[in-house]
RNA sequence: GCGGGGGUUGCCAAGCCCGGUCAAAGGCGCAGGGCUUAGGACCCUGUCUCUGAGGAGUUCGCGGGUUCGAAUCCCGCCUCCCGCACCA
């Protein structure tokens, strides 16, 4: 059994943890040249012609350009739509008075005068950021209002932020801004996670002048050369990028309380981590054990993915070392398939390899030097006591643990650096063994010993699968091996002669056999890299068993139970991710919680170890509350001891000082966390640890209330990564597109849990839309809002929108909410403008104002800068960011119902016009006069009868309806109509059974149609229309809600 | 292997939980028109097929089933992606 690492990487191998079978994966990382011009700080906005819109003279031309739903070209120009904004339209910004003065207060140059450059847009955003900051708008301290503590996983500053990071933070910010407007005292803090090893690796590579990383820093990240030189020092990297990220967050307009900022190597934070880890230890959740890690023998360091050449993830395979006796010596054969011990016919050694004799415990093992070195890192101490030529072993009769003697034979495929250099030969089940054995024993003197029955492969599976193969073709043998191993593992059954395991499935008894060999025959295990992994220094990595490693026992059942209880008591959004948390808790087990290098906090009781970085970042949400005091100088880190934390977090003991008392009060106010935001990738680790650690450290009333998980951001359908060259740095994107358009682009591109494929065109489309909204605010004046039917309709639609947006935002369905604000409302306003035009009215100024103001408020969480600009342009004081979230008024359902009807009739007309190609001169509409059948069927459907048979039964069984029995055709037609409508439409129609179609058509359809088609409109009842008025006999086709139409 | 999530009309992406609002939202792209000296931007219209009448036909990975009715529910299959730990 065996052998080539090359092959190991391609077939299922046993990974150390629980012996779970796991596929190793090949990773392909195409080299893609980085994109020039993406570097932060190198974008020159004035060169961005896409954004340059020349100023125009006639400002009013840009009145709100709502075209109708389907204005025809046949008739008038569409200008009536614009004219709907009517007399209220004027040159903006030329009026004197308070409002005007106010606008100038808002600062400098305004937008909305007919186009802007990117520079102007950025000026606008910066102006508001500055105003917020000066007004300390987002600083939160306890007060009498209810609170919301909203947090996001803090960033690891080893690179600038890109668009992908922006998504989680933007969602959190939208959430924070929403609740703030709803009257909550929102705490939204931010810190920086300095702890960790990747920065260490970067620093080392910079120090070594690694061209790849230098290129990345200078050209992709745009770090100035002078600064990069300082990056040999890890702290400089973290400081540089955290500042960079912080600036980016401010540029994005995040409503963060920056007074609470910290880094995880701040002395105060370290005191906090000491308290945390010590608490866990006192709760007996920390223990000691040994643990395998990838290891570079040259550097003497653990290696993880970012330390390896090609960023290969070090993965381990677990070999079983089966001891074969040979006189006073042991021949240790390493195998991945211990179950095949029953089928061994011989051992293989490499005739060209160097073997030595090593004292291992009380035994003398024969193995290669490489093997002895590896064992030395895995808790054994082989002592070299001599060499032995491979030839001395050839022909020896080795004693098998399961009985009998087998010969030692030579094989070239045995690699001295893999396993022990000695291999079990199982010719019945291993194609390589079969081929090698038959090559030196063509007559079958040594017969195969099949021990696994596997359907489709006969009595000698390896022989069969090798049947048609060229056995000198290694790759063919590898493929055969892979196929056979997989088949045997999953479907194979142990044959007779396998001791207690006969008749059992391979997949079920493999681990048992390993255990049995270990117990009865002293078999050992040995870790080996699954595939060749090289350190960045070039050395080949091995597996090292770290002794006396500290573990956090996430496997503790009672701990898991309380985590489940916490989870059950909290909201998880989106709901479908909840099950995943439970699964993860299910398989969670001990996890190393300390390591030997990197930035971080030392274990209080064992200063040789540093608290591992996913362990020191589980409950820091509580620390923001204290950090305000540290940053303000109200308390010094050196007095933050065990007693202080016990008091502040748990109320234990007496307050050590007045500040502690204040902190306790603030903690009680802000805790628990109301929302924890994070990306999906953190679900199996940080978010679950967040839950686990809270339950271990805090009383139940302080357990988190809600977790919100979002998907990541893709570029062109691919995950953003440096090696793909598709990273869009956030700050560069802001320069190019503006913060608000990016915020909207990210939010609207996908549902919460979906990965968002952001396209930059739609981002800039957002920009122009926002700009138009600002512009429109400049043309709206407070005033009379109109009392006509269409005004009432518009108001109802606004109320409906507020309801829908609010409900969606409460459930973190930000995409849908934004959709209603950006597009839904837009569509309503278009219809409104069309109705106004039909009646020759201009939009009442008050209504235009109300629409704009509602937009500003609903948009404020999403596009805060734009919303502030709109708010002030409308003449409001203060900040929309802290204004009240709109309350939804009552929706007049009957008006909405009637307008929906008009839209549907209009749609019918435009369909006919389009299909027939007629330029209408006259449109005749015949409204159905009786709705008895329709209403009857509608009632039946509402009552659950949706098929003809049951409807006919109901009608026949009701004296008042029985007379309708003779109209089955009509009934069927009504049923079809009704079923094609939505449930909400049906309900609305049920409620408005007194609805008078003809009257509505006469009063309203006429105007709308006439304006758009420039033709006459006649409305009739369907009964008794003289033939002169109904030349094509259409009137009889009228159905309820479907007037007959004739166009000439 | 274990666990999770997908496959929708040119692309991205809703809908699926709660079956008829679905030829299927919205965005992008594309086409025509408007506006503009022009380009860009913006606005309108169209964008599965057929249609001189509001209609019909064929679609939602594949194959079955349940139902008056399925993108939506059930069963089977194919296929893609992600996580699996000491790493943020």
């Amino acid at each position: 059994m065996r052998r080539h690492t090359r092959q190991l990487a391609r077939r299922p191998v046993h990974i150390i943890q629980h012996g779970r079978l796991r596929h190793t994966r090949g990773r392909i990382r195409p080299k893609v040249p980085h994109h020039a011009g993406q570097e932060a700080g190198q974008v020159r906005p004035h060169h961005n012609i896409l954004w340059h819109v020349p100023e125009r003279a006639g400002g009013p031309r840009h009145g709100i350009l709502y075209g109708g739903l389907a204005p025809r070209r046949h008739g008038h120009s569409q200008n009536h739509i614009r004219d709907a904004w009517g007399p209220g339209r004027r040159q903006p910004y030329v009026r004197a008075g308070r409002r005007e003065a106010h606008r100038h207060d808002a600062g400098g140059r305004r937008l909305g005068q007919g186009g802007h450059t990117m520079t102007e847009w950025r000026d606008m955003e910066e102006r508001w950021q500055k105003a917020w900051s000066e007004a300390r708008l987002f600083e939160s301290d306890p007060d009498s209002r209810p609170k919301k503590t909203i947090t996001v996983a803090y960033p690891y500053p080893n690179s600038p932020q890109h668009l992908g990071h922006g998504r989680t933070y933007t969602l959190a910010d939208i959430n924070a801004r929403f609740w703030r407007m709803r009257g909550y005292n929102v705490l939204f803090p931010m810190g920086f996670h300095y702890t960790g090893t990747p920065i260490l690796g970067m620093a080392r590579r910079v120090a070594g002048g690694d061209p790849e990383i230098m290129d990345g820093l200078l050209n992709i990240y745009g770090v100035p050369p002078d600064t990069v030189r300082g990056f040999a020092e890890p702290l400089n990297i973290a400081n540089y990028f955290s500042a960079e990220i912080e600036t980016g967050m401010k540029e994005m307009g995040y409503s963060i309380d920056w007074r609470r900022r910290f880094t995880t190597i701040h002395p105060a934070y370290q005191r906090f981590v000491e308290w945390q880890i010590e608490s866990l230890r006192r709760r007996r959740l920390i223990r000691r054990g040994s643990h395998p890690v990838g290891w570079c023998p040259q550097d003497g360091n653990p290696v993880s993915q970012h330390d390896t050449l090609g960023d290969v993830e070090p993965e381990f395979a677990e070999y079983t070392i089966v001891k074969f006796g040979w006189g006073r010596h042991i021949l240790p054969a390493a195998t991945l398939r211990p179950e095949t011990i029953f089928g061994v016919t011989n051992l293989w050694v490499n005739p060209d390899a160097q073997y030595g004799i090593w004292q291992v415990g009380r035994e003398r093992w024969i193995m290669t030097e490489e093997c002895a070195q590896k064992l030395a890192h895995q808790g054994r101490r082989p002592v070299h006591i001599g060499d032995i030529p491979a030839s001395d072993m050839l022909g020896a009769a080795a004693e098998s643990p399961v009985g009998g003697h087998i010969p030692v034979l030579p094989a070239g495929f045995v690699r001295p650096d893999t396993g022990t250099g000695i291999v079990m030969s199982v010719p019945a089940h291993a194609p390589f063994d079969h081929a090698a054995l038959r090559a030196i024993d063509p007559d079958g003197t040594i017969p195969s010993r099949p021990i696994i029955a596997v359907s489709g492969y006969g009595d000698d599976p390896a022989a069969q699968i090798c049947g048609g193969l060229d056995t000198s073709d290694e790759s063919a043998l590898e493929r055969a091996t892979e196929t056979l191993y997989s088949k045997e593992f999953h479907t194979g059954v142990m044959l007779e002669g396998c001791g207690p395991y006969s008749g059992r499935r391979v997949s079920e008894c493999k681990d048992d056999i390993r255990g049995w060999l270990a117990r009865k025959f002293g078999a050992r295990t040995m870790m080996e890299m699954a595939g060749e992994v090289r350190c960045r220094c070039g050395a080949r990595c091995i597996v090292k068993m770290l002794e006396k490693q500290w573990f956090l026992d996430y496997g503790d059942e009672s701990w898991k139970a309380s985590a489940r209880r916490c989870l059950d008591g909290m909201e998880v959004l989106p709901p479908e991710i909840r099950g995943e948390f439970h699964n993860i808790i299910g398989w969670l087990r001990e996890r190393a919680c300390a390591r030997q290098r990197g930035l971080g906090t030392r274990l209080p009781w064992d200063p040789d170890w540093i608290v591992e970085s996913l362990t020191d970042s589980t409950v820091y949400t509580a620390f923001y509350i204290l950090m305000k005091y540290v940053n303000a100088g109200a308390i010094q880190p050196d007095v933050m001891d065990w007693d202080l934390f016990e008091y502040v977090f748990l109320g234990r003991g007496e307050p050590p000082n007045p500040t502690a008392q204040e902190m306790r009060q603030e903690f009680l106010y802000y805790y628990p966390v109301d929302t924890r935001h994070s990306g999906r990738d953190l679900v199996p680790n940080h978010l679950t640890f967040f839950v686990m650690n809270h339950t271990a450290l805090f009383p139940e009333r302080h357990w988190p209330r809600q977790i919100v998980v979002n998907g990541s951001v893709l570029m062109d359908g691919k995950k953003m990564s440096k090696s793909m060259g598709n990273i869009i740095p956030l700050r560069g994107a802001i320069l190019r597109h503006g913060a608000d358009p990016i915020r909207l682009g990210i939010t609207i591109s996908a549902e919460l849990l979906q990965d968002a494929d952001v396209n930059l065109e739609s981002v800039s489309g957002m920009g122009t839309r926002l700009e138009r909204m600002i512009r429109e605010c400049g043309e709206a004046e407070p005033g009379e809002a109109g009392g006509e039917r269409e005004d009432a309709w518009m108001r109802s639609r606004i109320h409906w929108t507020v309801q829908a947006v609010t409900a969606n935002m409460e459930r973190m369905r930000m995409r849908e909410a934004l959709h209603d604000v950006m597009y839904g409302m837009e569509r309503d306003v278009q219809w409104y403008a069309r109705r106004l035009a039909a009646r020759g009215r201009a939009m009442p100024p008050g209504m235009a104002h109300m629409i704009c103001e509602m937009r500003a408020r609903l948009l404020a969480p999403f596009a805060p800068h734009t919303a502030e600009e709109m708010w002030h342009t409308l003449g409001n004081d203060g900040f929309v960011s802290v204004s009240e979230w709109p309350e939804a008024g009552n929706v007049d359902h009957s008006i909405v119902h009637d307008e929906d009807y008009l839209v549907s009739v209009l749609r019918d007309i435009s369909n006919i016009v389009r299909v027939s190609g007629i330029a209408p001169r006259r449109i005749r509409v015949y409204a159905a006069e009786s709705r008895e059948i329709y209403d009857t069927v509608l009632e039946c459907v509402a009552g659950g009868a949706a098929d003809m048979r049951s409807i006919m039964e109901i009608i026949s069984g009701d004296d008042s309806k029985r007379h309708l029995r003779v109209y089955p055709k009509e009934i069927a037609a009504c049923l079809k109509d009704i079923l094609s409508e939505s449930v909400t439409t049906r309900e609305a129609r049920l409620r408005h059974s007194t609805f008078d179609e003809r009257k509505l058509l006469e009063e309203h359809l006429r105007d709308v149609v006439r304006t758009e088609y420039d033709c006459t409109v006649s409305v009739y009842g369907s009964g008794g229309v003289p033939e002169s008025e109904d030349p094509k006999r259409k009137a009889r086709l009228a159905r309820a809600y479907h007037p007959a139409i004739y166009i000439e």
Side-chain angles (χ1 to χ4, degrees):
Chain A
M1 316 285 1
R2 17 188 304 292
R3 50 268 338 161
H4 307 263
T5 50
R6 208 169 49 190
Q7 186 179 333
L8 282 173
R10 287 204 204 142
R11 66 165 193 260
V13 293
H14 268 96
I15 294 300
I16 80 162
Q17 287 81 21
H18 292 178
R20 280 176 304 176
L21 199 71
R22 169 169 166 194
H23 294 279
T24 56
R25 297 172 293 276
R27 269 168 219 237
I28 299 165
R29 290 183 175 269
K31 261 223 175 315
V32 179
H34 62 269
H35 293 174
Q38 283 184 354
E39 305 89 314
Q42 293 194 9
V43 178
R44 285 166 296 179
H46 54 281
H47 279 184
N48 191 339
I49 194 161
L50 292 181
W51 271 97
H52 183 72
V53 182
E55 299 251 337
R56 283 191 179 144
R61 196 183 281 287
H62 289 276
I64 297 185
L65 300 178
Y66 297 116
L69 286 181
R72 299 297 106 186
R73 246 172 295 299
H74 313 295
H76 294 163
S77 81
Q78 289 144 33
N79 284 337
H80 61 273
I81 303 290
R82 295 169 208 155
D83 294 341
W85 288 80
R89 215 182 56 186
R90 61 179 57 81
Q91 298 258 182
Y93 315 122
V94 292
R95 299 167 66 79
R98 197 188 63 82
R99 274 186 66 197
E100 203 45 32
H102 190 86
R103 283 172 177 164
H104 286 292
D105 287 347
R109 191 188 161 122
R110 289 173 312 274
L111 292 168
Q113 297 188 61
H116 65 266
T117 62
M118 201 57 234
T119 314
E120 286 164 0
W121 184 268
R122 296 272 299 119
D123 284 349
M124 183 274 285
E125 292 185 341
E126 273 170 33
R127 205 168 66 232
W128 288 111
Q129 285 155 14
K130 192 159 163 263
W132 293 330
S133 162
E134 281 168 2
R136 308 173 140 231
L137 216 54
F138 307 126
E139 295 183 2
S140 172
D141 296 299
D143 61 25
S144 58
R145 289 174 296 165
K147 61 85 187 182
K148 283 270 180 200
T149 301
I150 297 175
T151 67
V152 204
Y154 50 27
Y156 183 68
N158 67 336
S159 68
Q161 277 185 297
H162 57 66
L163 230 43
H165 302 112
R167 186 168 180 208
T168 310
Y169 296 117
T170 298
L171 281 166
D173 185 54
I174 291 170
N175 197 28
R177 285 175 173 276
F178 171 66
W179 289 105
R180 197 177 284 119
M181 287 178 75
R182 298 199 74 192
Y184 285 80
N185 184 0
V186 171
L187 175 64
F188 182 36
M190 188 60 63
F192 294 92
H193 197 195
Y194 276 32
T195 324
T197 49
I199 286 177
L200 223 58
M202 279 173 75
R204 225 173 67 199
R205 293 173 66 192
V206 170
D210 180 331
E212 192 185 327
I213 194 156
M214 297 306 261
D215 177 67
L217 289 168
L218 293 167
N219 300 320
I220 296 181
Y221 294 161
V223 182
D226 279 353
T227 310
V228 172
R229 272 191 281 280
F231 279 8
E233 165 57 42
L235 199 53
N236 290 342
I237 299 179
N239 285 336
Y240 177 84
F241 286 120
S242 62
E244 168 85 12
I245 292 168
E246 181 176 338
T247 308
M249 288 178 165
K250 288 174 176 163
E251 287 172 350
M252 279 294 277
Y254 297 152
S255 57
I256 292 167
D257 181 354
W258 286 106
R259 295 173 306 158
R260 297 167 187 276
R261 179 196 200 273
F262 60 76
T263 79
T264 58
I265 57 163
H266 191 287
Y269 191 85
Q270 295 185 322
R271 298 294 88 74
F272 165 69
V273 171
E274 286 164 9
W275 168 79
Q276 176 201 342
I277 198 86
E278 177 65 28
S279 295
L280 291 170
R281 191 167 81 121
R282 292 189 187 189
R283 284 169 176 74
R284 301 181 178 284
L285 293 170
I286 289 181
R287 359 158 129 182
R288 234 170 173 188
S290 56
H291 179 69
V293 293
W295 186 264
C296 171
Q298 189 166 311
D299 294 341
N301 269 335
V303 288
S304 53
Q305 191 173 342
H306 49 263
D307 300 313
T308 61
L309 278 181
D311 280 344
V312 178
E313 169 98 44
E315 288 179 312
F316 314 143
E318 182 176 23
Y319 280 79
T320 302
I321 296 180
V322 182
K323 295 180 195 168
F324 289 79
W326 179 39
R328 293 162 47 225
H329 297 103
I330 296 288
L331 295 174
T335 179
L336 289 164
R337 299 189 70 194
E339 73 278 15
T340 58
I341 179 69
F342 301 105
V344 176
T345 58
N346 61 289
L347 294 180
W348 298 117
V349 297
N350 187 327
D352 302 320
Q354 297 294 318
Y355 289 86
I357 304 171
W358 307 77
Q359 188 76 40
V360 177
R362 288 199 211 138
E363 297 166 345
R364 294 186 162 198
W365 290 22
I366 294 176
M367 56 189 166
T368 60
E369 161 101 35
E370 291 93 329
C371 176
Q373 275 179 7
K374 282 181 288 192
L375 287 180
H377 283 99
Q378 296 185 18
R380 297 199 180 80
R381 301 185 188 287
V383 178
H384 188 222
I385 54 179
D387 288 325
I388 177 169
S391 55
D392 282 13
M393 292 182 275
L394 295 180
E399 188 183 353
S400 168
V402 294
H405 286 78
I406 53 172
V408 177
L409 302 173
F413 64 70
V414 174
R415 288 184 55 161
D417 58 355
T418 301
T420 52
I422 298 176
V423 166
M424 302 193 324
S425 169
V426 187
H429 300 289
F432 273 92
D433 295 339
H434 169 83
L437 187 61
R438 289 301 155 241
I440 55 177
D441 175 32
D443 305 330
T445 317
I446 303 174
S448 285
R449 293 172 60 184
I451 50 130
I452 295 170
V454 53
S455 67
Y457 287 92
D459 293 338
D460 191 342
Q464 175 157 343
I465 201 169
C466 290
L469 290 180
D470 170 8
T471 48
S472 64
D473 179 353
E474 278 207 6
S475 65
L477 283 176
E478 282 177 15
R479 280 194 304 275
T481 303
E482 193 175 337
T483 309
L484 191 56
Y485 275 13
S486 171
K487 184 88 179 166
E488 288 182 346
F489 179 77
H490 295 116
T491 68
V493 174
M494 304 299 290
L495 292 170
E496 287 306 312
C498 296
Y501 303 101
S502 301
R504 291 186 56 191
R505 299 177 67 93
V506 174
S507 56
E508 286 164 6
C509 68
K510 176 167 189 151
D511 288 343
D512 294 348
I513 294 176
R514 191 203 321 272
W516 176 74
L517 284 173
R519 274 193 316 278
K520 292 198 83 155
F521 308 106
R524 297 292 151 85
T525 57
M526 171 185 177
M527 297 296 166
E528 186 75 271
M529 283 288 175
E532 183 171 299
V533 177
R534 288 194 178 273
C535 178
R536 287 195 187 276
C537 74
R540 185 159 174 203
C541 298
I542 58 167
V543 181
K544 181 178 176 69
M545 194 62 75
L546 283 183
E547 303 296 332
K548 296 183 180 173
Q549 166 69 278
W550 293 100
F551 287 94
L552 199 43
D553 188 8
Y554 286 126
D556 185 283
E557 279 309 322
S558 69
W559 194 4
K560 288 185 175 193
S562 55
R564 290 192 180 102
R565 198 162 74 244
C566 174
L567 212 50
D568 290 340
M570 79 161 122
E571 184 170 33
V572 179
L573 292 178
E576 53 266 34
I577 200 91
R578 181 186 291 276
E580 197 159 338
F581 279 98
H582 280 292
N583 289 331
I584 290 158
I585 291 174
W587 56 253
L588 220 49
R589 52 191 186 85
E590 317 81 52
R591 179 192 168 87
C593 65
R595 58 149 183 262
Q596 290 179 302
R597 62 196 186 114
L599 300 171
T601 305
R602 295 188 178 277
L603 286 182
W605 64 86
D606 186 355
D608 289 346
W609 293 86
I610 293 166
V611 180
E612 183 274 327
S613 38
L614 286 188
T615 307
D616 79 359
S617 59
T618 54
V619 291
Y620 66 90
T621 44
F623 190 69
Y624 289 116
I625 294 164
L626 315 211
M627 195 61 195
K628 183 182 85 177
Y629 294 88
V630 178
N631 282 337
I635 193 163
Q636 298 303 316
D638 51 4
V639 303
M640 299 178 78
D641 56 11
W642 173 263
D643 289 343
L644 179 128
F645 289 110
E646 288 281 300
Y647 172 73
V648 172
F649 292 138
L650 305 171
R652 287 189 186 150
E654 291 304 311
N657 56 57
T659 307
Q661 203 159 7
E662 216 178 315
M663 291 193 294
R664 170 69 180 160
Q665 288 313 308
E666 185 157 343
F667 175 74
L668 288 174
Y669 178 76
Y670 282 120
Y671 239 59
V673 171
D674 292 283
T675 306
R676 178 82 178 146
H677 287 267
S678 168
R680 188 173 196 164
D681 49 335
L682 297 190
V683 172
N685 41 66
H686 168 263
L687 284 175
T688 305
F689 301 157
F690 168 76
V691 170
M692 297 282 294
N693 281 272
H694 268 89
T695 66
L697 293 166
F698 293 98
E700 195 156 346
R701 67 185 168 127
H702 286 149
W703 291 0
R705 294 273 163 80
Q706 184 190 51
I707 284 180
V708 176
V709 180
N710 61 269
S712 54
V713 172
L714 307 178
M715 263 332 271
D716 306 320
K718 292 189 196 71
K719 203 171 165 177
M720 263 189 230
S721 78
K722 199 166 65 166
S723 57
M724 302 282 269
N726 62 353
I727 286 189
I728 311 289
L730 192 59
R731 295 193 63 199
I734 295 171
L735 272 178
R736 210 178 269 261
H737 301 280
D740 281 349
I742 292 170
R743 292 171 63 111
L744 299 189
I746 288 175
T747 308
I748 208 136
S749 59
E751 297 273 302
L752 198 50
L753 200 55
Q754 291 288 328
D755 287 345
D757 202 344
V758 171
N759 84 38
L760 293 173
E761 279 102 39
S762 70
V763 168
S764 67
M766 285 293 175
T768 54
R769 259 189 133 94
L770 289 177
E771 191 219 339
R772 196 186 67 214
M773 289 193 186
I774 296 173
R775 197 163 59 218
E776 285 164 0
C777 288
E779 298 165 28
E781 295 272 328
E784 182 265 324
E788 302 289 316
R789 171 196 183 77
E790 51 274 11
D791 306 324
W793 177 84
M794 187 67 227
R795 267 192 293 278
S796 274
R797 290 302 302 169
I798 290 175
H799 294 149
W800 181 90
T801 304
V802 171
Q803 276 174 22
V805 170
T806 308
N808 278 325
M809 291 189 79
E810 283 171 351
R811 287 178 299 151
M812 279 304 294
R813 304 184 68 140
M814 300 307 184
R815 171 196 159 92
E816 263 180 83
L818 181 57
H819 212 280
D820 285 338
V821 179
M822 294 290 284
Y823 303 115
M825 222 166 139
E826 176 96 356
R827 209 171 43 207
D828 291 339
V829 173
Q830 281 180 19
W831 173 250
Y832 178 52
R834 193 168 163 191
R835 295 284 278 119
L836 289 170
R839 305 198 60 196
R841 294 177 67 208
M843 187 177 296
M847 182 63 81
H849 194 267
M850 178 186 175
I851 291 169
C852 286
E853 184 169 317
M854 200 55 82
R855 274 184 187 153
R857 295 207 280 169
L858 294 178
L859 212 51
F862 300 97
H865 311 89
T866 308
E868 294 289 3
E869 189 74 8
M870 290 168 73
W871 184 252
H872 274 249
T873 305
L874 287 167
N876 291 301
D877 288 321
F879 295 96
V880 71
S881 297
V882 290
S883 72
E884 213 174 299
W885 184 255
E887 281 290 321
N890 287 332
V891 175
D892 182 336
H893 291 284
S894 79
I895 290 189
V896 172
H897 167 265
D898 290 359
E899 293 292 316
D900 284 350
Y901 170 74
L902 286 181
V903 172
S904 77
V905 175
L906 219 48
R907 195 186 305 123
D908 280 352
I909 292 174
S910 78
N911 262 340
I912 297 170
V913 170
R914 180 157 45 87
V915 173
S916 66
I918 296 170
R921 279 168 292 124
R922 178 170 194 145
I923 299 177
R924 298 176 196 269
V925 181
Y926 312 92
E929 289 193 319
S930 164
R931 284 221 319 276
E932 191 183 2
I933 295 178
Y934 186 91
D935 288 341
T936 303
V937 177
L938 186 58
E939 277 170 38
C940 291
V941 173
D947 58 297
M948 272 306 277
R949 203 185 327 142
S950 29
I951 288 173
M952 290 311 279
E953 273 167 27
I954 291 171
I955 289 175
S956 311
D958 185 331
D959 287 346
S960 65
K961 293 173 183 158
R962 190 165 304 148
H963 63 284
L964 299 175
R965 254 185 327 177
V966 297
Y967 303 109
K969 239 186 242 172
E970 287 77 4
I971 290 172
C974 282
L975 180 62
K976 197 179 165 211
D977 280 349
I978 289 167
L979 288 180
S980 74
E981 293 296 347
S982 68
V983 175
T984 41
T985 304
R986 287 181 218 162
E987 282 167 0
R989 289 183 178 178
L990 211 52
R991 271 201 303 270
H992 298 284
S993 53
T994 57
F995 163 63
D996 187 339
E997 268 187 63
R998 183 169 175 185
K999 185 156 166 264
L1000 190 71
L1001 291 172
E1002 277 170 353
E1003 285 174 6
H1004 297 284
L1005 181 70
R1006 202 188 293 258
D1007 293 335
V1008 181
V1009 171
R1010 203 162 43 203
T1011 329
E1012 280 163 36
Y1013 292 106
D1014 191 21
C1015 66
T1016 54
V1017 178
S1018 315
V1019 176
Y1020 311 90
S1022 59
V1025 188
E1027 199 170 332
S1028 59
E1029 304 292 328
D1030 185 11
K1032 286 278 164 73
R1033 310 255 301 138
K1034 293 278 184 187
R1036 62 204 173 88
L1037 300 176
R1039 285 171 285 148
Y1041 288 101
H1042 281 278
I1045 297 164
Y1046 177 61
I1047 298 175
E1048 48 194 320

